[in-house]
Amino acid sequence: MPGIQIPDPQDDNFSFFANLKDDIPAGIAVFLVSVPLSLGIALASGAPLFSGLITGIVGGLVVAPLSGSALGISGTAAGLALIVLPTIEKLGFGGFLLAVIVAGLLQIVMGLAKAGVIAYYFPSSVINGMLSGIGIIIFLKQIPHAVGYDRDYEGDFSFSQIDNYSSLTELFHMLDQSQPGAILIALASLLVLLLWELPFMQKRRFSHLLPAPLVVVALGVLFNETLRNVVPGFALQETHLVMIPLVQDMSGLMQQLHFPDFSQVTNPEIYWAGLTLAVVASLETLLSLDAVDKLDPYKRITPSNRELIAQGIGNISSGLLGGLPLTQVIVRSSINVQSGAKTKAASIVNGLLLVSAVFLIPTIINKIPLASLAAILLVVGYKLAKPETFKTLYQSGWYHFIPFCATVLGLVFTNILFGILIGLTIALFSILLENYKSAYYFKETQIGNKHVIRLSEHVSFLNRANLQQTLEALPAHSEVVIDATRSKYIDYDVYEIIQTFKSEAHHKHIKLILENVRGFGSLPSVENARTQTYESQQSLTPNKVLDLLKEGNERFVYNLKSNRNLLEQVNDTSDGQFPIAIILSCMDSRTSVELIFDLGLGDVFSARIAGNIVNDDFLGSMEFACKLAGSKLIVVLGHTHCGAIKGACADAKLDHLTGLLAKIKPAITCVHAEMPANNGIDKNELIQKVADKNVQLTVEQIRQQSGLLAAMEQAGDIAIIGGMYDIETGKVNFFHAA
């Protein structure tokens, strides 16, 4: 059948009439396979053959207009045959139709109750496995029909067949009863289908006006009629052709129709059967919905709740008219997609053609060889089970590949319903195992014996085992941080494990920090750290500001940070600033004070220069910060492995840098003066002693050179202190507090 055209991203015109040139050929292709599939599934369900056609008609003319699915086709479902057959035997066909109506009502309730959200929880590995598995089943099941062995009905997707063979053993048994005419028709049909796929054919206008399936079916009919007249022995007989029940007039139609037995309305078995049908049909529909959306070249998303309501109305209509329960079906939907359909008009065309097949052209339809339809479905099956899909799922990892394979094997060796259940079960175990091995937190091990466990937004009971083992494996005398800042939900079992660890941590001499572990269940959001206001600034003392810096540095050391909305802080500081401190630090790129002290916008003044030295410009800035802007603390912050200190100790010379380094020389002189002669001090130790002394001298210079700042310190309005930042650990050690 025609290859899918690459959609134009700008083409968003999906109105009913705008795409009929694509939707009509696609609807014809769907119709051609809908007829035998509908009849075959009705036969397998123990229902009148006409009921299968009614279901297809309702799917096209009732469900499609109400549905939000652009490419989904609704009709008889092979997966439901396992439930339908015993239900008809138990309730009779009239009672069964009443159960179908009940199922439809329940589906409407489910849609109104937003139960369609279940569709979002189907693993993609199962959806892809369903598509590939059905593709393999179609391919295996159609090979016998292609060679003329038609004892198994069209639409049988079960591994074990009614002819006492399986999908695999049938391939050997069919060779004894093959039909030369069917083989010739199937080969010719495959040749046409492959020819239609070639690029040069796609450029021909007629290849789009005449869908390949229609050409194949017409060719099959003409070929068989020619054989009937020329070589009668090779011609296919009625058992190898489509067989629609003939309706000659209105009385004949009424004989084909069946109606619900409302006398059983008080029978509780009716409602149990209706509930079973509703649940299974809804699950099959939602699975197909997700699968068809994946196949849609435009990647449109179908509203699942609306689809349940549409399916419910469809099942009520089908039950009232004597049809079988319907679902959205993947095989016919796949043909619709592969035939180039763009809107739901293709499904409506399919419904209209089914009506015409029953009333206008049944004799023509009954001339279609099943071998022609088998060729069409062989191509569909191959496209659904492309090897590329297996390769992609394998590359995605074992947790996706194993459920995918389980779904494929389950479908092929059981049936659609059990295959999907097998896939979902394996997928659930894979999810549990993946959660066990890769829990919803990550651990960062810092220098030494420090461990940070950061919990994610949703921490469920699935994380319990892994978290328990992680905490039990922590070594004694370690430092542990459990950070729940991001968490919006913590399961009670997980919270209990954390609290138990908290009470027992001291036995292993473990220092434990719980950051924003604020309960269990749904958690309130962590409040954002706001910028300083005039009131908050004035309420602080110098010692309190120092405490805030120490707390911020501790968060930094443990890889934690306050919850901030920086855009919010931009807005808060647009009218003014109220910093609590001014920090004079080195220009070294590793010493950003806002990060080191976990600060936000407007929290501190930051003054930076190589070697954290002071001059009149910096003194003026400090006087402004403390006297006019209200800052309560001056910090002179040096750092380990300082390049400026190393340069000064090495007596480096470089243009303007020479004068800057000269300001560090007093610290070198003091250190040498304090050291005993010939003590053989290590070079790195000497450099660090100079760095420490340089900070201390800078603090004293501030007091000596600014009478204003000295007076404010004496009055207790501010404090002037020094500190040393360790670039290896991230920790700041303050020399003293005023």
PDB file of all heavy atoms in Angstrom, residues 63-74 285 288-293 296 300-304 306-307 310-311 328-329 333 336-337 342-347:
ATOM      1  N   VAL A  63     -19.156   5.952  16.305  1.00  0.00           N
ATOM      2  CA  VAL A  63     -18.002   6.237  17.163  1.00  0.00           C
ATOM      3  C   VAL A  63     -17.075   7.281  16.541  1.00  0.00           C
ATOM      4  O   VAL A  63     -16.652   8.231  17.212  1.00  0.00           O
ATOM      5  CB  VAL A  63     -17.222   4.942  17.468  1.00  0.00           C
ATOM      6  CG1 VAL A  63     -15.961   5.261  18.278  1.00  0.00           C
ATOM      7  CG2 VAL A  63     -18.099   3.963  18.233  1.00  0.00           C
ATOM      8  N   ALA A  64     -16.748   7.114  15.267  1.00  0.00           N
ATOM      9  CA  ALA A  64     -15.769   8.013  14.628  1.00  0.00           C
ATOM     10  C   ALA A  64     -16.148   9.490  14.739  1.00  0.00           C
ATOM     11  O   ALA A  64     -15.312  10.319  15.105  1.00  0.00           O
ATOM     12  CB  ALA A  64     -15.558   7.607  13.173  1.00  0.00           C
ATOM     13  N   PRO A  65     -17.416   9.885  14.436  1.00  0.00           N
ATOM     14  CA  PRO A  65     -17.751  11.313  14.560  1.00  0.00           C
ATOM     15  C   PRO A  65     -17.636  11.837  15.992  1.00  0.00           C
ATOM     16  O   PRO A  65     -17.344  13.019  16.197  1.00  0.00           O
ATOM     17  CB  PRO A  65     -19.204  11.381  14.061  1.00  0.00           C
ATOM     18  CG  PRO A  65     -19.371  10.179  13.195  1.00  0.00           C
ATOM     19  CD  PRO A  65     -18.529   9.125  13.836  1.00  0.00           C
ATOM     20  N   LEU A  66     -17.870  10.965  16.977  1.00  0.00           N
ATOM     21  CA  LEU A  66     -17.826  11.397  18.379  1.00  0.00           C
ATOM     22  C   LEU A  66     -16.418  11.351  18.962  1.00  0.00           C
ATOM     23  O   LEU A  66     -16.122  12.051  19.925  1.00  0.00           O
ATOM     24  CB  LEU A  66     -18.741  10.496  19.223  1.00  0.00           C
ATOM     25  CG  LEU A  66     -20.240  10.524  18.866  1.00  0.00           C
ATOM     26  CD1 LEU A  66     -20.985   9.471  19.675  1.00  0.00           C
ATOM     27  CD2 LEU A  66     -20.820  11.899  19.115  1.00  0.00           C
ATOM     28  N   SER A  67     -15.556  10.539  18.373  1.00  0.00           N
ATOM     29  CA  SER A  67     -14.224  10.318  18.921  1.00  0.00           C
ATOM     30  C   SER A  67     -13.305  11.497  18.634  1.00  0.00           C
ATOM     31  O   SER A  67     -13.492  12.246  17.684  1.00  0.00           O
ATOM     32  CB  SER A  67     -13.628   9.036  18.317  1.00  0.00           C
ATOM     33  OG  SER A  67     -12.263   8.913  18.629  1.00  0.00           O
ATOM     34  N   GLY A  68     -12.284  11.618  19.473  1.00  0.00           N
ATOM     35  CA  GLY A  68     -11.245  12.613  19.225  1.00  0.00           C
ATOM     36  C   GLY A  68     -10.040  12.016  18.526  1.00  0.00           C
ATOM     37  O   GLY A  68      -9.044  12.695  18.299  1.00  0.00           O
ATOM     38  N   SER A  69     -10.121  10.722  18.173  1.00  0.00           N
ATOM     39  CA  SER A  69      -9.014  10.048  17.505  1.00  0.00           C
ATOM     40  C   SER A  69      -9.080  10.306  16.007  1.00  0.00           C
ATOM     41  O   SER A  69     -10.091  10.024  15.361  1.00  0.00           O
ATOM     42  CB  SER A  69      -9.062   8.537  17.774  1.00  0.00           C
ATOM     43  OG  SER A  69      -8.037   7.865  17.081  1.00  0.00           O
ATOM     44  N   ALA A  70      -7.992  10.838  15.454  1.00  0.00           N
ATOM     45  CA  ALA A  70      -7.978  11.166  14.032  1.00  0.00           C
ATOM     46  C   ALA A  70      -7.831   9.928  13.159  1.00  0.00           C
ATOM     47  O   ALA A  70      -8.386   9.884  12.051  1.00  0.00           O
ATOM     48  CB  ALA A  70      -6.840  12.137  13.736  1.00  0.00           C
ATOM     49  N   LEU A  71      -7.120   8.917  13.633  1.00  0.00           N
ATOM     50  CA  LEU A  71      -6.780   7.783  12.775  1.00  0.00           C
ATOM     51  C   LEU A  71      -7.271   6.440  13.314  1.00  0.00           C
ATOM     52  O   LEU A  71      -7.103   5.422  12.646  1.00  0.00           O
ATOM     53  CB  LEU A  71      -5.259   7.728  12.581  1.00  0.00           C
ATOM     54  CG  LEU A  71      -4.623   8.979  11.958  1.00  0.00           C
ATOM     55  CD1 LEU A  71      -3.116   8.835  11.884  1.00  0.00           C
ATOM     56  CD2 LEU A  71      -5.199   9.245  10.577  1.00  0.00           C
ATOM     57  N   GLY A  72      -7.858   6.419  14.502  1.00  0.00           N
ATOM     58  CA  GLY A  72      -8.310   5.159  15.083  1.00  0.00           C
ATOM     59  C   GLY A  72      -9.531   4.610  14.375  1.00  0.00           C
ATOM     60  O   GLY A  72     -10.436   5.347  13.983  1.00  0.00           O
ATOM     61  N   ILE A  73      -9.571   3.281  14.212  1.00  0.00           N
ATOM     62  CA  ILE A  73     -10.713   2.569  13.626  1.00  0.00           C
ATOM     63  C   ILE A  73     -11.311   1.684  14.707  1.00  0.00           C
ATOM     64  O   ILE A  73     -10.596   0.939  15.386  1.00  0.00           O
ATOM     65  CB  ILE A  73     -10.284   1.702  12.430  1.00  0.00           C
ATOM     66  CG1 ILE A  73      -9.611   2.563  11.358  1.00  0.00           C
ATOM     67  CG2 ILE A  73     -11.489   0.965  11.859  1.00  0.00           C
ATOM     68  CD1 ILE A  73     -10.506   3.558  10.687  1.00  0.00           C
ATOM     69  N   SER A  74     -12.612   1.762  14.875  1.00  0.00           N
ATOM     70  CA  SER A  74     -13.306   0.940  15.878  1.00  0.00           C
ATOM     71  C   SER A  74     -14.095  -0.160  15.194  1.00  0.00           C
ATOM     72  O   SER A  74     -14.686   0.050  14.132  1.00  0.00           O
ATOM     73  CB  SER A  74     -14.236   1.807  16.728  1.00  0.00           C
ATOM     74  OG  SER A  74     -13.499   2.748  17.484  1.00  0.00           O
ATOM     75  N   THR A 285      -9.095  -0.566  24.178  1.00  0.00           N
ATOM     76  CA  THR A 285      -9.223   0.709  23.468  1.00  0.00           C
ATOM     77  C   THR A 285      -8.104   1.662  23.858  1.00  0.00           C
ATOM     78  O   THR A 285      -7.480   2.300  23.004  1.00  0.00           O
ATOM     79  CB  THR A 285     -10.588   1.350  23.773  1.00  0.00           C
ATOM     80  OG1 THR A 285     -11.612   0.598  23.123  1.00  0.00           O
ATOM     81  CG2 THR A 285     -10.644   2.789  23.288  1.00  0.00           C
ATOM     82  N   SER A 288      -4.814   0.557  22.352  1.00  0.00           N
ATOM     83  CA  SER A 288      -4.793   0.860  20.919  1.00  0.00           C
ATOM     84  C   SER A 288      -4.670   2.355  20.688  1.00  0.00           C
ATOM     85  O   SER A 288      -3.987   2.804  19.758  1.00  0.00           O
ATOM     86  CB  SER A 288      -6.062   0.324  20.243  1.00  0.00           C
ATOM     87  OG  SER A 288      -6.102  -1.082  20.289  1.00  0.00           O
ATOM     88  N   LEU A 289      -5.336   3.129  21.538  1.00  0.00           N
ATOM     89  CA  LEU A 289      -5.290   4.592  21.433  1.00  0.00           C
ATOM     90  C   LEU A 289      -3.846   5.082  21.512  1.00  0.00           C
ATOM     91  O   LEU A 289      -3.391   5.875  20.676  1.00  0.00           O
ATOM     92  CB  LEU A 289      -6.107   5.193  22.573  1.00  0.00           C
ATOM     93  CG  LEU A 289      -6.592   6.631  22.449  1.00  0.00           C
ATOM     94  CD1 LEU A 289      -7.668   6.738  21.409  1.00  0.00           C
ATOM     95  CD2 LEU A 289      -7.125   7.098  23.799  1.00  0.00           C
ATOM     96  N   ASP A 290      -3.140   4.586  22.511  1.00  0.00           N
ATOM     97  CA  ASP A 290      -1.741   4.983  22.692  1.00  0.00           C
ATOM     98  C   ASP A 290      -0.891   4.523  21.513  1.00  0.00           C
ATOM     99  O   ASP A 290      -0.023   5.257  21.014  1.00  0.00           O
ATOM    100  CB  ASP A 290      -1.209   4.379  23.999  1.00  0.00           C
ATOM    101  CG  ASP A 290       0.012   5.124  24.518  1.00  0.00           C
ATOM    102  OD1 ASP A 290       0.529   5.989  23.787  1.00  0.00           O
ATOM    103  OD2 ASP A 290       0.435   4.836  25.646  1.00  0.00           O
ATOM    104  N   ALA A 291      -1.147   3.288  21.050  1.00  0.00           N
ATOM    105  CA  ALA A 291      -0.367   2.743  19.935  1.00  0.00           C
ATOM    106  C   ALA A 291      -0.604   3.532  18.649  1.00  0.00           C
ATOM    107  O   ALA A 291       0.334   3.834  17.905  1.00  0.00           O
ATOM    108  CB  ALA A 291      -0.727   1.272  19.732  1.00  0.00           C
ATOM    109  N   VAL A 292      -1.855   3.879  18.375  1.00  0.00           N
ATOM    110  CA  VAL A 292      -2.172   4.611  17.142  1.00  0.00           C
ATOM    111  C   VAL A 292      -1.594   6.024  17.199  1.00  0.00           C
ATOM    112  O   VAL A 292      -1.107   6.554  16.191  1.00  0.00           O
ATOM    113  CB  VAL A 292      -3.697   4.646  16.910  1.00  0.00           C
ATOM    114  CG1 VAL A 292      -4.051   5.526  15.720  1.00  0.00           C
ATOM    115  CG2 VAL A 292      -4.225   3.237  16.683  1.00  0.00           C
ATOM    116  N   ASP A 293      -1.626   6.634  18.373  1.00  0.00           N
ATOM    117  CA  ASP A 293      -1.015   7.961  18.507  1.00  0.00           C
ATOM    118  C   ASP A 293       0.488   7.897  18.220  1.00  0.00           C
ATOM    119  O   ASP A 293       1.068   8.847  17.684  1.00  0.00           O
ATOM    120  CB  ASP A 293      -1.251   8.519  19.912  1.00  0.00           C
ATOM    121  CG  ASP A 293      -2.680   9.019  20.106  1.00  0.00           C
ATOM    122  OD1 ASP A 293      -3.403   9.145  19.099  1.00  0.00           O
ATOM    123  OD2 ASP A 293      -3.075   9.267  21.254  1.00  0.00           O
ATOM    124  N   ASP A 296       0.811   7.785  14.431  1.00  0.00           N
ATOM    125  CA  ASP A 296       0.356   8.995  13.735  1.00  0.00           C
ATOM    126  C   ASP A 296       1.559   9.848  13.320  1.00  0.00           C
ATOM    127  O   ASP A 296       2.318  10.304  14.168  1.00  0.00           O
ATOM    128  CB  ASP A 296      -0.556   9.801  14.665  1.00  0.00           C
ATOM    129  CG  ASP A 296      -1.141  11.037  13.980  1.00  0.00           C
ATOM    130  OD1 ASP A 296      -0.834  11.272  12.786  1.00  0.00           O
ATOM    131  OD2 ASP A 296      -1.904  11.773  14.639  1.00  0.00           O
ATOM    132  N   ARG A 300      -0.469  13.507  16.890  1.00  0.00           N
ATOM    133  CA  ARG A 300      -1.595  14.095  17.614  1.00  0.00           C
ATOM    134  C   ARG A 300      -1.944  13.219  18.815  1.00  0.00           C
ATOM    135  O   ARG A 300      -1.808  12.004  18.769  1.00  0.00           O
ATOM    136  CB  ARG A 300      -2.804  14.226  16.674  1.00  0.00           C
ATOM    137  CG  ARG A 300      -2.646  15.306  15.615  1.00  0.00           C
ATOM    138  CD  ARG A 300      -3.639  15.156  14.478  1.00  0.00           C
ATOM    139  NE  ARG A 300      -3.305  14.029  13.615  1.00  0.00           N
ATOM    140  CZ  ARG A 300      -3.915  13.766  12.470  1.00  0.00           C
ATOM    141  NH1 ARG A 300      -4.912  14.539  12.053  1.00  0.00           N
ATOM    142  NH2 ARG A 300      -3.554  12.735  11.732  1.00  0.00           N
ATOM    143  N   ILE A 301      -2.406  13.840  19.868  1.00  0.00           N
ATOM    144  CA  ILE A 301      -2.757  13.128  21.098  1.00  0.00           C
ATOM    145  C   ILE A 301      -4.273  13.054  21.216  1.00  0.00           C
ATOM    146  O   ILE A 301      -4.964  14.076  21.185  1.00  0.00           O
ATOM    147  CB  ILE A 301      -2.169  13.830  22.341  1.00  0.00           C
ATOM    148  CG1 ILE A 301      -0.652  13.975  22.197  1.00  0.00           C
ATOM    149  CG2 ILE A 301      -2.528  13.058  23.595  1.00  0.00           C
ATOM    150  CD1 ILE A 301       0.090  12.662  22.074  1.00  0.00           C
ATOM    151  N   THR A 302      -4.784  11.844  21.349  1.00  0.00           N
ATOM    152  CA  THR A 302      -6.228  11.635  21.454  1.00  0.00           C
ATOM    153  C   THR A 302      -6.685  11.791  22.893  1.00  0.00           C
ATOM    154  O   THR A 302      -6.095  11.191  23.797  1.00  0.00           O
ATOM    155  CB  THR A 302      -6.595  10.227  20.953  1.00  0.00           C
ATOM    156  OG1 THR A 302      -6.146  10.077  19.602  1.00  0.00           O
ATOM    157  CG2 THR A 302      -8.099  10.006  21.022  1.00  0.00           C
ATOM    158  N   PRO A 303      -7.740  12.578  23.153  1.00  0.00           N
ATOM    159  CA  PRO A 303      -8.279  12.681  24.521  1.00  0.00           C
ATOM    160  C   PRO A 303      -8.908  11.355  24.944  1.00  0.00           C
ATOM    161  O   PRO A 303      -9.905  10.919  24.358  1.00  0.00           O
ATOM    162  CB  PRO A 303      -9.316  13.801  24.411  1.00  0.00           C
ATOM    163  CG  PRO A 303      -9.650  13.911  22.960  1.00  0.00           C
ATOM    164  CD  PRO A 303      -8.445  13.461  22.201  1.00  0.00           C
ATOM    165  N   SER A 304      -8.323  10.708  25.934  1.00  0.00           N
ATOM    166  CA  SER A 304      -8.736   9.348  26.301  1.00  0.00           C
ATOM    167  C   SER A 304     -10.124   9.304  26.934  1.00  0.00           C
ATOM    168  O   SER A 304     -10.884   8.348  26.706  1.00  0.00           O
ATOM    169  CB  SER A 304      -7.701   8.733  27.243  1.00  0.00           C
ATOM    170  OG  SER A 304      -7.468   9.575  28.354  1.00  0.00           O
ATOM    171  N   ARG A 306     -12.679  11.309  26.363  1.00  0.00           N
ATOM    172  CA  ARG A 306     -13.650  11.465  25.273  1.00  0.00           C
ATOM    173  C   ARG A 306     -13.785  10.165  24.491  1.00  0.00           C
ATOM    174  O   ARG A 306     -14.892   9.798  24.065  1.00  0.00           O
ATOM    175  CB  ARG A 306     -13.204  12.600  24.358  1.00  0.00           C
ATOM    176  CG  ARG A 306     -14.086  12.797  23.129  1.00  0.00           C
ATOM    177  CD  ARG A 306     -13.600  13.977  22.310  1.00  0.00           C
ATOM    178  NE  ARG A 306     -14.276  14.047  21.030  1.00  0.00           N
ATOM    179  CZ  ARG A 306     -14.015  14.961  20.091  1.00  0.00           C
ATOM    180  NH1 ARG A 306     -13.105  15.894  20.324  1.00  0.00           N
ATOM    181  NH2 ARG A 306     -14.668  14.957  18.939  1.00  0.00           N
ATOM    182  N   GLU A 307     -12.685   9.460  24.313  1.00  0.00           N
ATOM    183  CA  GLU A 307     -12.732   8.198  23.574  1.00  0.00           C
ATOM    184  C   GLU A 307     -13.561   7.157  24.315  1.00  0.00           C
ATOM    185  O   GLU A 307     -14.327   6.401  23.700  1.00  0.00           O
ATOM    186  CB  GLU A 307     -11.317   7.674  23.352  1.00  0.00           C
ATOM    187  CG  GLU A 307     -11.242   6.433  22.471  1.00  0.00           C
ATOM    188  CD  GLU A 307     -11.689   6.691  21.044  1.00  0.00           C
ATOM    189  OE1 GLU A 307     -11.610   7.855  20.583  1.00  0.00           O
ATOM    190  OE2 GLU A 307     -12.141   5.731  20.380  1.00  0.00           O
ATOM    191  N   ALA A 310     -17.162   7.992  23.707  1.00  0.00           N
ATOM    192  CA  ALA A 310     -17.544   7.634  22.333  1.00  0.00           C
ATOM    193  C   ALA A 310     -17.698   6.125  22.188  1.00  0.00           C
ATOM    194  O   ALA A 310     -18.646   5.639  21.548  1.00  0.00           O
ATOM    195  CB  ALA A 310     -16.496   8.165  21.354  1.00  0.00           C
ATOM    196  N   GLN A 311     -16.773   5.361  22.790  1.00  0.00           N
ATOM    197  CA  GLN A 311     -16.865   3.898  22.737  1.00  0.00           C
ATOM    198  C   GLN A 311     -18.111   3.414  23.467  1.00  0.00           C
ATOM    199  O   GLN A 311     -18.772   2.455  23.031  1.00  0.00           O
ATOM    200  CB  GLN A 311     -15.617   3.275  23.355  1.00  0.00           C
ATOM    201  CG  GLN A 311     -14.337   3.525  22.585  1.00  0.00           C
ATOM    202  CD  GLN A 311     -14.240   2.722  21.309  1.00  0.00           C
ATOM    203  OE1 GLN A 311     -14.758   1.604  21.224  1.00  0.00           O
ATOM    204  NE2 GLN A 311     -13.592   3.280  20.306  1.00  0.00           N
ATOM    205  N   GLN A 328     -11.461   0.223  19.902  1.00  0.00           N
ATOM    206  CA  GLN A 328     -10.554   0.692  18.857  1.00  0.00           C
ATOM    207  C   GLN A 328      -9.581  -0.448  18.583  1.00  0.00           C
ATOM    208  O   GLN A 328      -9.024  -1.024  19.518  1.00  0.00           O
ATOM    209  CB  GLN A 328      -9.801   1.951  19.297  1.00  0.00           C
ATOM    210  CG  GLN A 328      -9.031   2.589  18.157  1.00  0.00           C
ATOM    211  CD  GLN A 328      -8.397   3.908  18.516  1.00  0.00           C
ATOM    212  OE1 GLN A 328      -7.176   4.043  18.493  1.00  0.00           O
ATOM    213  NE2 GLN A 328      -9.211   4.900  18.860  1.00  0.00           N
ATOM    214  N   VAL A 329      -9.375  -0.783  17.317  1.00  0.00           N
ATOM    215  CA  VAL A 329      -8.617  -1.979  16.949  1.00  0.00           C
ATOM    216  C   VAL A 329      -7.339  -1.589  16.212  1.00  0.00           C
ATOM    217  O   VAL A 329      -7.351  -0.730  15.335  1.00  0.00           O
ATOM    218  CB  VAL A 329      -9.464  -2.938  16.100  1.00  0.00           C
ATOM    219  CG1 VAL A 329     -10.436  -3.707  16.971  1.00  0.00           C
ATOM    220  CG2 VAL A 329     -10.240  -2.188  15.027  1.00  0.00           C
ATOM    221  N   SER A 333      -6.612   0.088  12.341  1.00  0.00           N
ATOM    222  CA  SER A 333      -6.054   1.427  12.530  1.00  0.00           C
ATOM    223  C   SER A 333      -4.679   1.539  11.871  1.00  0.00           C
ATOM    224  O   SER A 333      -4.332   2.571  11.284  1.00  0.00           O
ATOM    225  CB  SER A 333      -5.944   1.750  14.022  1.00  0.00           C
ATOM    226  OG  SER A 333      -7.208   1.742  14.646  1.00  0.00           O
ATOM    227  N   ASN A 336      -5.074   1.975   8.286  1.00  0.00           N
ATOM    228  CA  ASN A 336      -5.512   3.347   8.050  1.00  0.00           C
ATOM    229  C   ASN A 336      -4.323   4.308   8.015  1.00  0.00           C
ATOM    230  O   ASN A 336      -4.206   5.155   7.120  1.00  0.00           O
ATOM    231  CB  ASN A 336      -6.493   3.756   9.152  1.00  0.00           C
ATOM    232  CG  ASN A 336      -7.298   4.993   8.811  1.00  0.00           C
ATOM    233  OD1 ASN A 336      -7.646   5.231   7.659  1.00  0.00           O
ATOM    234  ND2 ASN A 336      -7.596   5.798   9.812  1.00  0.00           N
ATOM    235  N   VAL A 337      -3.424   4.149   8.983  1.00  0.00           N
ATOM    236  CA  VAL A 337      -2.233   5.008   9.039  1.00  0.00           C
ATOM    237  C   VAL A 337      -1.336   4.760   7.833  1.00  0.00           C
ATOM    238  O   VAL A 337      -0.887   5.696   7.160  1.00  0.00           O
ATOM    239  CB  VAL A 337      -1.452   4.764  10.346  1.00  0.00           C
ATOM    240  CG1 VAL A 337      -0.149   5.544  10.338  1.00  0.00           C
ATOM    241  CG2 VAL A 337      -2.288   5.151  11.556  1.00  0.00           C
ATOM    242  N   LYS A 342      -5.568  11.022   7.034  1.00  0.00           N
ATOM    243  CA  LYS A 342      -5.206  12.204   7.810  1.00  0.00           C
ATOM    244  C   LYS A 342      -6.246  12.558   8.869  1.00  0.00           C
ATOM    245  O   LYS A 342      -5.913  13.165   9.876  1.00  0.00           O
ATOM    246  CB  LYS A 342      -4.994  13.402   6.888  1.00  0.00           C
ATOM    247  CG  LYS A 342      -3.727  13.313   6.062  1.00  0.00           C
ATOM    248  CD  LYS A 342      -3.455  14.604   5.316  1.00  0.00           C
ATOM    249  CE  LYS A 342      -2.130  14.531   4.561  1.00  0.00           C
ATOM    250  NZ  LYS A 342      -1.856  15.796   3.817  1.00  0.00           N
ATOM    251  N   THR A 343      -7.509  12.195   8.657  1.00  0.00           N
ATOM    252  CA  THR A 343      -8.546  12.552   9.621  1.00  0.00           C
ATOM    253  C   THR A 343      -9.503  11.383   9.831  1.00  0.00           C
ATOM    254  O   THR A 343      -9.399  10.341   9.177  1.00  0.00           O
ATOM    255  CB  THR A 343      -9.353  13.776   9.142  1.00  0.00           C
ATOM    256  OG1 THR A 343     -10.233  13.369   8.076  1.00  0.00           O
ATOM    257  CG2 THR A 343      -8.442  14.893   8.651  1.00  0.00           C
ATOM    258  N   LYS A 344     -10.457  11.596  10.720  1.00  0.00           N
ATOM    259  CA  LYS A 344     -11.453  10.567  11.019  1.00  0.00           C
ATOM    260  C   LYS A 344     -12.397  10.309   9.848  1.00  0.00           C
ATOM    261  O   LYS A 344     -13.200   9.373   9.894  1.00  0.00           O
ATOM    262  CB  LYS A 344     -12.246  10.965  12.263  1.00  0.00           C
ATOM    263  CG  LYS A 344     -13.062  12.242  12.084  1.00  0.00           C
ATOM    264  CD  LYS A 344     -13.910  12.553  13.305  1.00  0.00           C
ATOM    265  CE  LYS A 344     -13.078  12.954  14.488  1.00  0.00           C
ATOM    266  NZ  LYS A 344     -13.905  13.340  15.657  1.00  0.00           N
ATOM    267  N   ALA A 345     -12.314  11.128   8.791  1.00  0.00           N
ATOM    268  CA  ALA A 345     -13.154  10.899   7.616  1.00  0.00           C
ATOM    269  C   ALA A 345     -12.913   9.513   7.040  1.00  0.00           C
ATOM    270  O   ALA A 345     -13.831   8.886   6.487  1.00  0.00           O
ATOM    271  CB  ALA A 345     -12.886  11.966   6.558  1.00  0.00           C
ATOM    272  N   ALA A 346     -11.677   8.993   7.154  1.00  0.00           N
ATOM    273  CA  ALA A 346     -11.371   7.661   6.638  1.00  0.00           C
ATOM    274  C   ALA A 346     -12.202   6.602   7.351  1.00  0.00           C
ATOM    275  O   ALA A 346     -12.699   5.656   6.720  1.00  0.00           O
ATOM    276  CB  ALA A 346      -9.882   7.371   6.799  1.00  0.00           C
ATOM    277  N   SER A 347     -12.374   6.755   8.658  1.00  0.00           N
ATOM    278  CA  SER A 347     -13.184   5.795   9.415  1.00  0.00           C
ATOM    279  C   SER A 347     -14.649   5.874   9.009  1.00  0.00           C
ATOM    280  O   SER A 347     -15.338   4.854   8.905  1.00  0.00           O
ATOM    281  CB  SER A 347     -13.027   6.065  10.919  1.00  0.00           C
ATOM    282  OG  SER A 347     -13.780   5.147  11.674  1.00  0.00           O
TER     283      SER A 347
END
